[in-house]
Amino acid sequence: MSLIIDTQAGAGQSFRRSVAGKVLLTPKGGISGCYLICLVLLALLAPWLTPYPYDVQELSIASQAPSLAHWLGTDEFGRDVLSRIMYGARTSLSVSITAISVSVLVGMTLGAVAGYFGGMFDRFVTAAVDLSWSFPEILIALILVAIIGPGLHSTMLAIGIAYLAQFTRLTRAQILGLKNETFIEATRNLGASHGHIVFRHLMPNALAPVIICGMLATGDAIILEATLGFFGLGAQPPVPSWGAMMSSGTAQIFKAPWIIIFPGLAVAVTVIMINLFGDALIRALDIRAKLREG
């Protein structure tokens, strides 16, 4: 019995010392982490949890106020707002997470190769990054979507390219500080190839700050996806999107304000929780101290 108690106590102490424990056991990290987990589950299980189909129109109950039958009311076509918000979470999260993940992978590869080898390739990447860095992400995304055309795939591509510069720049700075470290010199003297050094030693050691930056950028990407959807450049009907719902709600803002208020709250709360979780993760990993030391 005492062995079981000691084992459980040891497991509890190990969890508290782990990164997950340091994040989730703080009020900020615990609340935001629980919200994000519930949001992801809600998005994944939306086909089974939504009270009504998101695309079925019923004009007889159009613009109906929140009630027991429709907790968040209905829109101008009689569609349930709660169901559309739940499906909209699928759209916003899938677009944002996919775009930022691809941007992180490509940006880390470009930044690592440029920082490690230097030369003409480094100067070209730095010039391209500095050029794109001078434009806001929303402007880059709007131009790309206008060229490619509206839709989910073009939105993902536009967001991924818009945030590529910051991951490339951050990774390059990390690699420049790491490539002359003693363990890299030892690996090089042992005959390791450049690819082995870059992908097995340098990039893993530069990963933590980039992952934190990617998490915080996901919140910005949700806002950017909602902005493109608001202008009709994101997900196309009948696919629900928080931004598109807000756009349709502007015409009903005085008659049925819940059509725009609830999707707006979903965007705002989600972005706030992502930023809170990212801040808790920064504190748990002590990223600021590591960056100062670098």
Side-chain angles (χ1 to χ4, degrees), residues 99-100 103 132-133 135-142 144 155-167 224:
I100 295 300
S103 188
S132 62
W133 195 263
F135 297 96
E137 288 86 358
I138 180 62
L139 180 60
I140 297 175
L142 284 172
L144 290 173
T155 301
M156 289 182 191
L157 180 62
I159 293 175
I161 294 175
Y163 286 95
L164 184 62
Q166 61 177 286
F167 300 122
L224 183 52

Side-chain angles (χ1 to χ4, degrees), residues 117-292:
F117 290 104
M120 287 294 296
F121 182 73
D122 182 36
R123 288 194 288 273
F124 173 77
V125 170
T126 303
V129 166
D130 290 341
L131 179 63
S132 62
W133 195 263
S134 60
F135 297 96
E137 288 86 358
I138 180 62
L139 180 60
I140 297 175
L142 284 172
I143 293 174
L144 290 173
V145 172
I147 295 173
I148 302 171
L152 284 179
H153 292 94
S154 58
T155 301
M156 289 182 191
L157 180 62
I159 293 175
I161 294 175
Y163 286 95
L164 184 62
Q166 61 177 286
F167 300 122
T168 304
R169 190 185 185 111
L170 178 59
T171 304
R172 178 181 176 275
Q174 294 292 303
I175 298 302
L176 288 175
L178 289 169
K179 71 176 184 179
N180 294 321
E181 293 287 336
T182 305
F183 74 96
I184 297 298
E185 291 292 338
T187 305
R188 189 180 294 114
N189 292 334
L190 289 173
S193 64
H194 293 305
H196 180 86
I197 293 173
V198 171
F199 294 104
R200 294 294 300 274
H201 294 281
L202 287 174
M203 287 180 66
N205 281 281
L207 186 61
V210 180
I211 292 299
I212 298 296
C213 183
M215 176 174 292
L216 297 176
T218 302
D220 295 336
I222 289 175
I223 296 177
L224 183 52
E225 187 276 332
T227 303
L228 294 174
F230 187 87
F231 291 133
L233 300 175
Q236 299 300 296
V239 178
S241 163
W242 289 343
M245 293 175 66
M246 294 170 63
S247 178
S248 65
T250 54
Q252 305 284 326
I253 190 169
F254 296 110
K255 180 182 178 182
W258 52 87
I259 299 176
I260 189 173
I261 289 175
F262 290 123
L265 284 175
V267 173
V269 174
T270 300
V271 173
I272 290 171
M273 290 301 175
I274 289 175
N275 289 332
L276 289 176
F277 190 82
D279 187 63
L281 194 56
I282 288 173
R283 293 177 182 274
L285 295 174
D286 203 13
I287 296 296
R288 292 190 179 97
K290 291 178 181 179
L291 289 176
R292 285 196 297 269

Side-chain angles (χ1 to χ4, degrees), residues 46-47 50-58 75 77-91 152 235-241 245:
T50 49
Y52 299 94
Y54 72 87
D55 56 349
V56 174
Q57 300 182 12
E58 193 171 347
D75 64 7
F77 297 109
R79 297 172 298 190
D80 184 65
V81 172
L82 176 59
S83 299
R84 291 182 62 78
I85 287 177
M86 292 169 67
Y87 268 94
R90 292 167 64 93
T91 302
L152 284 179
Q236 299 300 296
V239 178
S241 163
M245 293 175 66

